[in-house]
Amino acid sequence: MPALEAKPELYTDLVPVWNAFQEITIARPVGMGGACGIPASDIAAYLDLVGIHDDESRYTWFTLLRAMDDVYLKASRKKNNNNG
């Protein structure tokens, strides 16, 4: 499959961030326009749950998860616009 052949490499140190994104993406609200962003409160709750408490680490995780969420939302909106 061409999509699998073009799959980006996931760096080992980012696997935990990817796994976190996979877990918290189910908390994503959905509105009339489709998927919405993952609430900051859900990201913070996840970080609390897994024991990430220092400010610098929380900021890094939050930034990475928001960036992933932005990419997801852009792809979702593009897909919805092409189907409608």
Side-chain angles (χ1 to χ4, degrees), residues 12-42:
T12 312
D13 56 338
L14 293 177
V15 169
V17 180
W18 173 250
N19 290 339
F21 181 74
Q22 293 297 304
E23 286 192 39
I24 64 175
T25 197
I26 61 171
R28 176 187 311 287
V30 178
M32 294 292 286
C36 299
I38 298 169
S41 59
D42 289 337

Side-chain angles (χ1 to χ4, degrees), residues 9-79:
E9 179 183 350
L10 181 58
Y11 297 109
T12 312
D13 56 338
L14 293 177
V15 169
V17 180
W18 173 250
N19 290 339
F21 181 74
Q22 293 297 304
E23 286 192 39
I24 64 175
T25 197
I26 61 171
R28 176 187 311 287
V30 178
M32 294 292 286
C36 299
I38 298 169
S41 59
D42 289 337
I43 295 173
Y46 179 85
L47 297 176
D48 288 341
L49 183 66
V50 297
I52 299 171
H53 300 294
D54 71 278
D55 291 341
E56 186 175 335
S57 293
R58 288 176 76 86
Y59 179 77
T60 299
W61 277 75
F62 186 83
T63 302
L64 291 169
L65 290 167
R66 281 292 190 179
M68 294 170 77
D69 199 33
D70 287 344
V71 171
Y72 174 89
L73 290 172
K74 286 177 186 169
S76 178
R77 289 180 184 130
K78 182 178 179 181
K79 181 179 174 184

